[in-house]
Structures are given as structure tokens and as C-alpha cells.
Amino acid sequence: MQEVKKKDLVELAMYMVFMFGVLYLTGCSNVDTKKEAESDTPHEQPVPEDNGTPPEKKYPFIYDLRATPDVNMLWLADVAFVDPSLDVAVIESIKKYTEKVRAYVSCGTAEESRDNFSELEPYIKKEKDSRGKEHKVKLEGYDEYILDPQHKDEIVPILEKKFILAKSIGLTGVICDNAEFLTGVMLNELKERANLLALSFGFVNALYIVDAGEASPDFHVVEQCNQYGECNLVDKLVEKNVPIFHLEYKSKYCYPTPGHETVLYGGDRELYADRFERVCE
């Protein structure tokens, strides 16, 4: 009888060990399966900043097109500015995030990195040095050259090609950079050609042209007017309710300016910040 009980106990112990092993292996299998399932679940990945996706925060970021021509885009508030020569698929991806996609065109300079440099090169401004040798006038710090507005009749049609391209790919406006090297007459003619294509037209700075009433854009971008005490130079645009994107690059000058649609702060850098950190409120 005792031998039978002993035998039963041994068998019971062996059975319990067996069942424990089964349960252990089953549990491990479920954990592994769960891990595999989790690893196969698609996760939303952060989108690289250079593909046109604005951040989730309410403030925008900006890329300086001259410092990084490979990026070729700029965000100001809810408006995206792109080089119209960008791949159409890239531009279409940007349109998913904002309906306000406009073309960026360097109107006052010829940039070596742009596809229209060879066309504009003959119209670069030239000066003579102390030895009487003529040379092209370069924009300090950049691989671009200042255009000579005396060649308006040749320059404007070249720039208009960018406007036509912008219209053909569904952009809604144009911003002209380096406008301070042009004249009010040229800016007005460029605006007229853009508006004929149903494109809004704006330019960067050229404050004395604006103050003199020589040109009035559909929208305007002004840099550092709080810092340099020049915001009064765009009062004529404020009076006309022209939307103004106001950019500052030092925190102590980050404060709202009456009549300016958006004042943006660029991170305590002298010029052309990589991105804006906040709206000045």
C-alpha cells in the first residue's frame, strides 16, 4: 500500500512538473507572439523637417533658402513658400498641410544655385575697382550677385518665367526676395504680371521703396524693424491693411507690432535663422 502511494506521489510530481513546463512554454509563446504583433504594428513616425511638414505647435519654422538652397522652402505662419523648380511631387506633398503655397523667387539677385542664373548673369551689376578693373557686384556672404535694375526690360521677363511656372503647378502667389536692389517701377511691373496670372505678389524689405509709396504689394515680409526702429517705414502698408509678416532675430525685440499680421522670433541670431521658435505675443 505504501509502495503504491509512493508510486502515485512520484507520478503526481512528474505530472505537475510536466504541466508547469507546458504552462511556462505556452506563456512564453504568447509573450513572444504579442511582441511580434506589437513590432508589426505600424507606428506614426515623425516626418523629417525638410519635406514641408509644419510642426504640430502653433508657431512655424523657417528655412533660409539662400543658406540652404537644397531645402528650397520657407514657412511663415500658415503660408509655405517654395522654389517653383522643386519636384512637383514634393510640392504636392506640401499642399496637404496648407492651401497657401506660394513661389519664392530671388528677384534682386542672381543666385549661382538657381536654374535661371545663366539667363540673369549678363544683367548682374558691375563696378570698377581701384585699378579700373570691372567686376560683378556680389551680395556679401552669399553666392549670389546683385542685379542691375537698368536692365529692367531684360530681367522682368526672365523672372516672369518663374511666375508662369508657379501658376502651372497650382501655386497661389509669389514672394520676391532681395527687392531692395530693384526699383519701385520694377516691383510694380512684377506685381502686375503676377496678378495677371491670378497670383498674389509680395516682396521682402525694400522699406524705403514702400515708405516712398513707390510700390504696394499684396503682402509683405519685413525683417528686424523692431530692432532697427524702422517699423514706421511700412505704415503705408498698415494703412492699406496689407498683410505683413514681421521677422525678428533677437528675443528682446520679440513683441507685437500694431498692424503687423504676425511677428515671428528666430532664435537670437543676427540674420536668417534656421527656424522660428515662437510667435511674439
Side-chain angles (χ1 to χ4, degrees), residues 248-279:
E248 290 292 338
Y249 302 98
K250 287 186 177 292
S251 57
K252 64 180 178 179
Y253 301 108
C254 179
Y255 48 81
T257 304
H260 292 208
E261 183 174 271
T262 314
V263 182
L264 305 168
Y265 165 61
D268 282 317
R269 303 185 186 189
E270 279 298 327
L271 284 172
Y272 311 121
D274 293 326
R275 69 178 67 188
F276 283 98
E277 295 180 354
R278 68 172 185 263
V279 174

PDB file of all heavy atoms in Angstrom, residues 248-279:
ATOM      1  N   GLU A 248      11.805  88.821 -36.506  1.00  0.00           N
ATOM      2  CA  GLU A 248      12.856  89.332 -35.623  1.00  0.00           C
ATOM      3  C   GLU A 248      13.808  88.196 -35.268  1.00  0.00           C
ATOM      4  O   GLU A 248      13.412  87.030 -35.242  1.00  0.00           O
ATOM      5  CB  GLU A 248      12.251  89.925 -34.343  1.00  0.00           C
ATOM      6  CG  GLU A 248      11.487  91.227 -34.555  1.00  0.00           C
ATOM      7  CD  GLU A 248      12.381  92.401 -34.958  1.00  0.00           C
ATOM      8  OE1 GLU A 248      13.600  92.353 -34.680  1.00  0.00           O
ATOM      9  OE2 GLU A 248      11.854  93.369 -35.550  1.00  0.00           O
ATOM     10  N   TYR A 249      15.069  88.551 -34.983  1.00  0.00           N
ATOM     11  CA  TYR A 249      16.084  87.536 -34.740  1.00  0.00           C
ATOM     12  C   TYR A 249      16.740  87.650 -33.369  1.00  0.00           C
ATOM     13  O   TYR A 249      17.703  86.952 -33.082  1.00  0.00           O
ATOM     14  CB  TYR A 249      17.149  87.601 -35.841  1.00  0.00           C
ATOM     15  CG  TYR A 249      16.551  87.396 -37.224  1.00  0.00           C
ATOM     16  CD1 TYR A 249      16.258  88.474 -38.042  1.00  0.00           C
ATOM     17  CD2 TYR A 249      16.246  86.119 -37.676  1.00  0.00           C
ATOM     18  CE1 TYR A 249      15.695  88.290 -39.292  1.00  0.00           C
ATOM     19  CE2 TYR A 249      15.673  85.931 -38.925  1.00  0.00           C
ATOM     20  CZ  TYR A 249      15.401  87.017 -39.727  1.00  0.00           C
ATOM     21  OH  TYR A 249      14.833  86.819 -40.959  1.00  0.00           O
ATOM     22  N   LYS A 250      16.208  88.524 -32.514  1.00  0.00           N
ATOM     23  CA  LYS A 250      16.698  88.627 -31.138  1.00  0.00           C
ATOM     24  C   LYS A 250      15.495  88.704 -30.207  1.00  0.00           C
ATOM     25  O   LYS A 250      14.535  89.431 -30.472  1.00  0.00           O
ATOM     26  CB  LYS A 250      17.589  89.861 -30.973  1.00  0.00           C
ATOM     27  CG  LYS A 250      18.964  89.712 -31.638  1.00  0.00           C
ATOM     28  CD  LYS A 250      19.852  90.898 -31.323  1.00  0.00           C
ATOM     29  CE  LYS A 250      21.238  90.703 -31.916  1.00  0.00           C
ATOM     30  NZ  LYS A 250      21.972  89.615 -31.260  1.00  0.00           N
ATOM     31  N   SER A 251      15.565  87.960 -29.095  1.00  0.00           N
ATOM     32  CA  SER A 251      14.406  87.804 -28.223  1.00  0.00           C
ATOM     33  C   SER A 251      13.905  89.129 -27.652  1.00  0.00           C
ATOM     34  O   SER A 251      12.701  89.323 -27.471  1.00  0.00           O
ATOM     35  CB  SER A 251      14.749  86.838 -27.075  1.00  0.00           C
ATOM     36  OG  SER A 251      15.873  87.306 -26.356  1.00  0.00           O
ATOM     37  N   LYS A 252      14.803  90.067 -27.370  1.00  0.00           N
ATOM     38  CA  LYS A 252      14.354  91.313 -26.739  1.00  0.00           C
ATOM     39  C   LYS A 252      13.541  92.191 -27.692  1.00  0.00           C
ATOM     40  O   LYS A 252      12.911  93.160 -27.262  1.00  0.00           O
ATOM     41  CB  LYS A 252      15.546  92.089 -26.179  1.00  0.00           C
ATOM     42  CG  LYS A 252      16.555  92.590 -27.205  1.00  0.00           C
ATOM     43  CD  LYS A 252      17.687  93.334 -26.483  1.00  0.00           C
ATOM     44  CE  LYS A 252      18.759  93.816 -27.446  1.00  0.00           C
ATOM     45  NZ  LYS A 252      19.832  94.541 -26.733  1.00  0.00           N
ATOM     46  N   TYR A 253      13.581  91.867 -28.974  1.00  0.00           N
ATOM     47  CA  TYR A 253      12.776  92.613 -29.943  1.00  0.00           C
ATOM     48  C   TYR A 253      11.517  91.842 -30.342  1.00  0.00           C
ATOM     49  O   TYR A 253      10.822  92.227 -31.277  1.00  0.00           O
ATOM     50  CB  TYR A 253      13.601  92.940 -31.182  1.00  0.00           C
ATOM     51  CG  TYR A 253      14.837  93.759 -30.861  1.00  0.00           C
ATOM     52  CD1 TYR A 253      16.097  93.192 -30.922  1.00  0.00           C
ATOM     53  CD2 TYR A 253      14.716  95.088 -30.461  1.00  0.00           C
ATOM     54  CE1 TYR A 253      17.230  93.933 -30.601  1.00  0.00           C
ATOM     55  CE2 TYR A 253      15.837  95.838 -30.137  1.00  0.00           C
ATOM     56  CZ  TYR A 253      17.092  95.258 -30.205  1.00  0.00           C
ATOM     57  OH  TYR A 253      18.203  95.993 -29.881  1.00  0.00           O
ATOM     58  N   CYS A 254      11.258  90.767 -29.618  1.00  0.00           N
ATOM     59  CA  CYS A 254      10.095  89.927 -29.916  1.00  0.00           C
ATOM     60  C   CYS A 254       8.886  90.454 -29.157  1.00  0.00           C
ATOM     61  O   CYS A 254       8.669  90.119 -27.999  1.00  0.00           O
ATOM     62  CB  CYS A 254      10.398  88.475 -29.527  1.00  0.00           C
ATOM     63  SG  CYS A 254       9.027  87.336 -29.824  1.00  0.00           S
ATOM     64  N   TYR A 255       8.127  91.321 -29.800  1.00  0.00           N
ATOM     65  CA  TYR A 255       6.886  91.828 -29.211  1.00  0.00           C
ATOM     66  C   TYR A 255       5.952  92.228 -30.350  1.00  0.00           C
ATOM     67  O   TYR A 255       6.404  92.534 -31.463  1.00  0.00           O
ATOM     68  CB  TYR A 255       7.148  93.005 -28.276  1.00  0.00           C
ATOM     69  CG  TYR A 255       8.052  94.088 -28.815  1.00  0.00           C
ATOM     70  CD1 TYR A 255       7.573  95.072 -29.679  1.00  0.00           C
ATOM     71  CD2 TYR A 255       9.394  94.126 -28.448  1.00  0.00           C
ATOM     72  CE1 TYR A 255       8.399  96.066 -30.171  1.00  0.00           C
ATOM     73  CE2 TYR A 255      10.236  95.117 -28.933  1.00  0.00           C
ATOM     74  CZ  TYR A 255       9.740  96.092 -29.783  1.00  0.00           C
ATOM     75  OH  TYR A 255      10.570  97.075 -30.264  1.00  0.00           O
ATOM     76  N   PRO A 256       4.667  92.198 -30.099  1.00  0.00           N
ATOM     77  CA  PRO A 256       3.702  92.511 -31.160  1.00  0.00           C
ATOM     78  C   PRO A 256       3.887  93.924 -31.696  1.00  0.00           C
ATOM     79  O   PRO A 256       4.285  94.835 -30.972  1.00  0.00           O
ATOM     80  CB  PRO A 256       2.353  92.363 -30.455  1.00  0.00           C
ATOM     81  CG  PRO A 256       2.625  91.514 -29.265  1.00  0.00           C
ATOM     82  CD  PRO A 256       4.020  91.841 -28.838  1.00  0.00           C
ATOM     83  N   THR A 257       3.613  94.096 -32.967  1.00  0.00           N
ATOM     84  CA  THR A 257       3.696  95.404 -33.605  1.00  0.00           C
ATOM     85  C   THR A 257       2.342  95.702 -34.240  1.00  0.00           C
ATOM     86  O   THR A 257       1.853  94.910 -35.037  1.00  0.00           O
ATOM     87  CB  THR A 257       4.804  95.411 -34.680  1.00  0.00           C
ATOM     88  OG1 THR A 257       6.041  95.027 -34.071  1.00  0.00           O
ATOM     89  CG2 THR A 257       4.947  96.787 -35.298  1.00  0.00           C
ATOM     90  N   PRO A 258       1.702  96.811 -33.864  1.00  0.00           N
ATOM     91  CA  PRO A 258       0.361  97.119 -34.385  1.00  0.00           C
ATOM     92  C   PRO A 258       0.307  97.083 -35.909  1.00  0.00           C
ATOM     93  O   PRO A 258       1.169  97.635 -36.587  1.00  0.00           O
ATOM     94  CB  PRO A 258       0.119  98.544 -33.856  1.00  0.00           C
ATOM     95  CG  PRO A 258       0.960  98.642 -32.631  1.00  0.00           C
ATOM     96  CD  PRO A 258       2.192  97.842 -32.932  1.00  0.00           C
ATOM     97  N   GLY A 259      -0.711  96.398 -36.409  1.00  0.00           N
ATOM     98  CA  GLY A 259      -0.933  96.337 -37.847  1.00  0.00           C
ATOM     99  C   GLY A 259      -0.150  95.247 -38.554  1.00  0.00           C
ATOM    100  O   GLY A 259      -0.377  94.994 -39.734  1.00  0.00           O
ATOM    101  N   HIS A 260       0.770  94.592 -37.837  1.00  0.00           N
ATOM    102  CA  HIS A 260       1.549  93.523 -38.447  1.00  0.00           C
ATOM    103  C   HIS A 260       0.855  92.196 -38.156  1.00  0.00           C
ATOM    104  O   HIS A 260       0.630  91.841 -36.993  1.00  0.00           O
ATOM    105  CB  HIS A 260       2.974  93.514 -37.902  1.00  0.00           C
ATOM    106  CG  HIS A 260       3.767  94.710 -38.318  1.00  0.00           C
ATOM    107  ND1 HIS A 260       5.139  94.688 -38.443  1.00  0.00           N
ATOM    108  CD2 HIS A 260       3.384  95.975 -38.658  1.00  0.00           C
ATOM    109  CE1 HIS A 260       5.563  95.879 -38.835  1.00  0.00           C
ATOM    110  NE2 HIS A 260       4.509  96.674 -38.967  1.00  0.00           N
ATOM    111  N   GLU A 261       0.532  91.481 -39.204  1.00  0.00           N
ATOM    112  CA  GLU A 261      -0.273  90.261 -39.059  1.00  0.00           C
ATOM    113  C   GLU A 261       0.382  89.260 -38.120  1.00  0.00           C
ATOM    114  O   GLU A 261      -0.244  88.702 -37.248  1.00  0.00           O
ATOM    115  CB  GLU A 261      -0.487  89.624 -40.441  1.00  0.00           C
ATOM    116  CG  GLU A 261      -1.376  88.390 -40.409  1.00  0.00           C
ATOM    117  CD  GLU A 261      -1.677  87.874 -41.800  1.00  0.00           C
ATOM    118  OE1 GLU A 261      -2.663  88.323 -42.405  1.00  0.00           O
ATOM    119  OE2 GLU A 261      -0.921  87.019 -42.263  1.00  0.00           O
ATOM    120  N   THR A 262       1.681  89.020 -38.291  1.00  0.00           N
ATOM    121  CA  THR A 262       2.398  88.050 -37.474  1.00  0.00           C
ATOM    122  C   THR A 262       3.808  88.536 -37.222  1.00  0.00           C
ATOM    123  O   THR A 262       4.519  88.909 -38.155  1.00  0.00           O
ATOM    124  CB  THR A 262       2.485  86.674 -38.186  1.00  0.00           C
ATOM    125  OG1 THR A 262       1.209  86.340 -38.710  1.00  0.00           O
ATOM    126  CG2 THR A 262       2.923  85.585 -37.224  1.00  0.00           C
ATOM    127  N   VAL A 263       4.207  88.556 -35.951  1.00  0.00           N
ATOM    128  CA  VAL A 263       5.597  88.849 -35.610  1.00  0.00           C
ATOM    129  C   VAL A 263       6.222  87.542 -35.123  1.00  0.00           C
ATOM    130  O   VAL A 263       5.736  86.913 -34.197  1.00  0.00           O
ATOM    131  CB  VAL A 263       5.707  89.933 -34.517  1.00  0.00           C
ATOM    132  CG1 VAL A 263       7.181  90.242 -34.222  1.00  0.00           C
ATOM    133  CG2 VAL A 263       4.986  91.199 -34.947  1.00  0.00           C
ATOM    134  N   LEU A 264       7.310  87.128 -35.776  1.00  0.00           N
ATOM    135  CA  LEU A 264       7.933  85.832 -35.515  1.00  0.00           C
ATOM    136  C   LEU A 264       9.353  86.014 -35.009  1.00  0.00           C
ATOM    137  O   LEU A 264      10.067  86.932 -35.435  1.00  0.00           O
ATOM    138  CB  LEU A 264       7.948  84.998 -36.803  1.00  0.00           C
ATOM    139  CG  LEU A 264       6.590  84.804 -37.482  1.00  0.00           C
ATOM    140  CD1 LEU A 264       6.763  84.234 -38.873  1.00  0.00           C
ATOM    141  CD2 LEU A 264       5.717  83.908 -36.641  1.00  0.00           C
ATOM    142  N   TYR A 265       9.749  85.116 -34.123  1.00  0.00           N
ATOM    143  CA  TYR A 265      11.067  85.219 -33.492  1.00  0.00           C
ATOM    144  C   TYR A 265      11.968  84.093 -33.952  1.00  0.00           C
ATOM    145  O   TYR A 265      11.574  82.938 -33.996  1.00  0.00           O
ATOM    146  CB  TYR A 265      10.897  85.182 -31.976  1.00  0.00           C
ATOM    147  CG  TYR A 265      12.157  84.923 -31.202  1.00  0.00           C
ATOM    148  CD1 TYR A 265      13.238  85.803 -31.300  1.00  0.00           C
ATOM    149  CD2 TYR A 265      12.269  83.827 -30.364  1.00  0.00           C
ATOM    150  CE1 TYR A 265      14.399  85.568 -30.588  1.00  0.00           C
ATOM    151  CE2 TYR A 265      13.424  83.590 -29.646  1.00  0.00           C
ATOM    152  CZ  TYR A 265      14.485  84.466 -29.758  1.00  0.00           C
ATOM    153  OH  TYR A 265      15.634  84.230 -29.057  1.00  0.00           O
ATOM    154  N   GLY A 266      13.214  84.436 -34.293  1.00  0.00           N
ATOM    155  CA  GLY A 266      14.103  83.457 -34.911  1.00  0.00           C
ATOM    156  C   GLY A 266      15.282  82.964 -34.116  1.00  0.00           C
ATOM    157  O   GLY A 266      16.227  82.466 -34.697  1.00  0.00           O
ATOM    158  N   GLY A 267      15.319  83.115 -32.822  1.00  0.00           N
ATOM    159  CA  GLY A 267      16.323  82.393 -32.053  1.00  0.00           C
ATOM    160  C   GLY A 267      17.650  83.073 -31.807  1.00  0.00           C
ATOM    161  O   GLY A 267      18.698  82.435 -31.892  1.00  0.00           O
ATOM    162  N   ASP A 268      17.655  84.364 -31.478  1.00  0.00           N
ATOM    163  CA  ASP A 268      18.883  85.078 -31.104  1.00  0.00           C
ATOM    164  C   ASP A 268      20.035  84.871 -32.071  1.00  0.00           C
ATOM    165  O   ASP A 268      21.153  84.520 -31.682  1.00  0.00           O
ATOM    166  CB  ASP A 268      19.314  84.688 -29.682  1.00  0.00           C
ATOM    167  CG  ASP A 268      18.464  85.406 -28.644  1.00  0.00           C
ATOM    168  OD1 ASP A 268      18.216  86.603 -28.823  1.00  0.00           O
ATOM    169  OD2 ASP A 268      18.038  84.762 -27.680  1.00  0.00           O
ATOM    170  N   ARG A 269      19.774  85.064 -33.326  1.00  0.00           N
ATOM    171  CA  ARG A 269      20.832  85.042 -34.331  1.00  0.00           C
ATOM    172  C   ARG A 269      20.765  86.347 -35.095  1.00  0.00           C
ATOM    173  O   ARG A 269      19.705  86.962 -35.215  1.00  0.00           O
ATOM    174  CB  ARG A 269      20.663  83.861 -35.282  1.00  0.00           C
ATOM    175  CG  ARG A 269      20.638  82.538 -34.529  1.00  0.00           C
ATOM    176  CD  ARG A 269      20.586  81.377 -35.481  1.00  0.00           C
ATOM    177  NE  ARG A 269      20.418  80.133 -34.737  1.00  0.00           N
ATOM    178  CZ  ARG A 269      20.511  78.944 -35.279  1.00  0.00           C
ATOM    179  NH1 ARG A 269      20.768  78.821 -36.556  1.00  0.00           N
ATOM    180  NH2 ARG A 269      20.338  77.866 -34.559  1.00  0.00           N
ATOM    181  N   GLU A 270      21.880  86.770 -35.608  1.00  0.00           N
ATOM    182  CA  GLU A 270      21.913  88.068 -36.265  1.00  0.00           C
ATOM    183  C   GLU A 270      20.984  88.126 -37.471  1.00  0.00           C
ATOM    184  O   GLU A 270      20.212  89.041 -37.633  1.00  0.00           O
ATOM    185  CB  GLU A 270      23.347  88.386 -36.698  1.00  0.00           C
ATOM    186  CG  GLU A 270      24.208  88.920 -35.565  1.00  0.00           C
ATOM    187  CD  GLU A 270      23.685  90.235 -34.996  1.00  0.00           C
ATOM    188  OE1 GLU A 270      23.112  91.042 -35.740  1.00  0.00           O
ATOM    189  OE2 GLU A 270      23.831  90.444 -33.779  1.00  0.00           O
ATOM    190  N   LEU A 271      21.104  87.136 -38.359  1.00  0.00           N
ATOM    191  CA  LEU A 271      20.307  87.157 -39.586  1.00  0.00           C
ATOM    192  C   LEU A 271      19.955  85.746 -40.020  1.00  0.00           C
ATOM    193  O   LEU A 271      20.724  84.808 -39.789  1.00  0.00           O
ATOM    194  CB  LEU A 271      21.089  87.832 -40.726  1.00  0.00           C
ATOM    195  CG  LEU A 271      21.199  89.361 -40.696  1.00  0.00           C
ATOM    196  CD1 LEU A 271      22.162  89.809 -41.769  1.00  0.00           C
ATOM    197  CD2 LEU A 271      19.844  90.009 -40.914  1.00  0.00           C
ATOM    198  N   TYR A 272      18.814  85.608 -40.652  1.00  0.00           N
ATOM    199  CA  TYR A 272      18.435  84.381 -41.349  1.00  0.00           C
ATOM    200  C   TYR A 272      18.527  83.142 -40.462  1.00  0.00           C
ATOM    201  O   TYR A 272      19.347  82.258 -40.668  1.00  0.00           O
ATOM    202  CB  TYR A 272      19.272  84.214 -42.625  1.00  0.00           C
ATOM    203  CG  TYR A 272      19.279  85.468 -43.448  1.00  0.00           C
ATOM    204  CD1 TYR A 272      20.447  86.114 -43.759  1.00  0.00           C
ATOM    205  CD2 TYR A 272      18.073  86.027 -43.860  1.00  0.00           C
ATOM    206  CE1 TYR A 272      20.434  87.300 -44.492  1.00  0.00           C
ATOM    207  CE2 TYR A 272      18.049  87.209 -44.587  1.00  0.00           C
ATOM    208  CZ  TYR A 272      19.237  87.832 -44.905  1.00  0.00           C
ATOM    209  OH  TYR A 272      19.213  88.996 -45.611  1.00  0.00           O
ATOM    210  N   ALA A 273      17.691  83.109 -39.439  1.00  0.00           N
ATOM    211  CA  ALA A 273      17.671  81.977 -38.526  1.00  0.00           C
ATOM    212  C   ALA A 273      17.241  80.713 -39.247  1.00  0.00           C
ATOM    213  O   ALA A 273      16.538  80.765 -40.251  1.00  0.00           O
ATOM    214  CB  ALA A 273      16.695  82.264 -37.376  1.00  0.00           C
ATOM    215  N   ASP A 274      17.662  79.574 -38.716  1.00  0.00           N
ATOM    216  CA  ASP A 274      17.266  78.296 -39.314  1.00  0.00           C
ATOM    217  C   ASP A 274      15.780  78.047 -39.146  1.00  0.00           C
ATOM    218  O   ASP A 274      15.137  77.431 -39.970  1.00  0.00           O
ATOM    219  CB  ASP A 274      18.044  77.135 -38.688  1.00  0.00           C
ATOM    220  CG  ASP A 274      19.521  77.201 -39.025  1.00  0.00           C
ATOM    221  OD1 ASP A 274      19.851  77.644 -40.135  1.00  0.00           O
ATOM    222  OD2 ASP A 274      20.312  76.827 -38.167  1.00  0.00           O
ATOM    223  N   ARG A 275      15.262  78.485 -37.992  1.00  0.00           N
ATOM    224  CA  ARG A 275      13.829  78.292 -37.747  1.00  0.00           C
ATOM    225  C   ARG A 275      13.328  79.333 -36.758  1.00  0.00           C
ATOM    226  O   ARG A 275      14.090  79.909 -35.999  1.00  0.00           O
ATOM    227  CB  ARG A 275      13.553  76.889 -37.207  1.00  0.00           C
ATOM    228  CG  ARG A 275      14.091  76.666 -35.797  1.00  0.00           C
ATOM    229  CD  ARG A 275      13.748  75.289 -35.307  1.00  0.00           C
ATOM    230  NE  ARG A 275      14.473  74.288 -36.084  1.00  0.00           N
ATOM    231  CZ  ARG A 275      14.250  72.995 -35.973  1.00  0.00           C
ATOM    232  NH1 ARG A 275      13.342  72.543 -35.164  1.00  0.00           N
ATOM    233  NH2 ARG A 275      14.947  72.127 -36.675  1.00  0.00           N
ATOM    234  N   PHE A 276      12.017  79.575 -36.781  1.00  0.00           N
ATOM    235  CA  PHE A 276      11.441  80.455 -35.794  1.00  0.00           C
ATOM    236  C   PHE A 276      10.956  79.641 -34.612  1.00  0.00           C
ATOM    237  O   PHE A 276      10.381  78.570 -34.775  1.00  0.00           O
ATOM    238  CB  PHE A 276      10.299  81.278 -36.403  1.00  0.00           C
ATOM    239  CG  PHE A 276      10.791  82.393 -37.242  1.00  0.00           C
ATOM    240  CD1 PHE A 276      10.872  82.276 -38.609  1.00  0.00           C
ATOM    241  CD2 PHE A 276      11.260  83.546 -36.636  1.00  0.00           C
ATOM    242  CE1 PHE A 276      11.386  83.295 -39.379  1.00  0.00           C
ATOM    243  CE2 PHE A 276      11.781  84.575 -37.401  1.00  0.00           C
ATOM    244  CZ  PHE A 276      11.842  84.459 -38.768  1.00  0.00           C
ATOM    245  N   GLU A 277      11.181  80.158 -33.428  1.00  0.00           N
ATOM    246  CA  GLU A 277      10.823  79.423 -32.224  1.00  0.00           C
ATOM    247  C   GLU A 277       9.423  79.758 -31.719  1.00  0.00           C
ATOM    248  O   GLU A 277       8.799  78.946 -31.066  1.00  0.00           O
ATOM    249  CB  GLU A 277      11.859  79.712 -31.125  1.00  0.00           C
ATOM    250  CG  GLU A 277      13.248  79.187 -31.491  1.00  0.00           C
ATOM    251  CD  GLU A 277      14.269  79.457 -30.413  1.00  0.00           C
ATOM    252  OE1 GLU A 277      13.911  80.146 -29.433  1.00  0.00           O
ATOM    253  OE2 GLU A 277      15.404  78.990 -30.538  1.00  0.00           O
ATOM    254  N   ARG A 278       8.963  80.954 -31.990  1.00  0.00           N
ATOM    255  CA  ARG A 278       7.616  81.284 -31.499  1.00  0.00           C
ATOM    256  C   ARG A 278       7.072  82.527 -32.178  1.00  0.00           C
ATOM    257  O   ARG A 278       7.802  83.296 -32.798  1.00  0.00           O
ATOM    258  CB  ARG A 278       7.644  81.487 -29.997  1.00  0.00           C
ATOM    259  CG  ARG A 278       8.400  82.727 -29.535  1.00  0.00           C
ATOM    260  CD  ARG A 278       8.200  82.957 -28.036  1.00  0.00           C
ATOM    261  NE  ARG A 278       8.816  84.198 -27.604  1.00  0.00           N
ATOM    262  CZ  ARG A 278      10.015  84.279 -27.059  1.00  0.00           C
ATOM    263  NH1 ARG A 278      10.733  83.197 -26.919  1.00  0.00           N
ATOM    264  NH2 ARG A 278      10.497  85.442 -26.668  1.00  0.00           N
ATOM    265  N   VAL A 279       5.762  82.697 -32.005  1.00  0.00           N
ATOM    266  CA  VAL A 279       5.109  83.941 -32.393  1.00  0.00           C
ATOM    267  C   VAL A 279       5.267  84.917 -31.228  1.00  0.00           C
ATOM    268  O   VAL A 279       5.118  84.544 -30.068  1.00  0.00           O
ATOM    269  CB  VAL A 279       3.613  83.703 -32.685  1.00  0.00           C
ATOM    270  CG1 VAL A 279       2.904  85.022 -32.934  1.00  0.00           C
ATOM    271  CG2 VAL A 279       3.446  82.772 -33.877  1.00  0.00           C
TER     272      VAL A 279
END
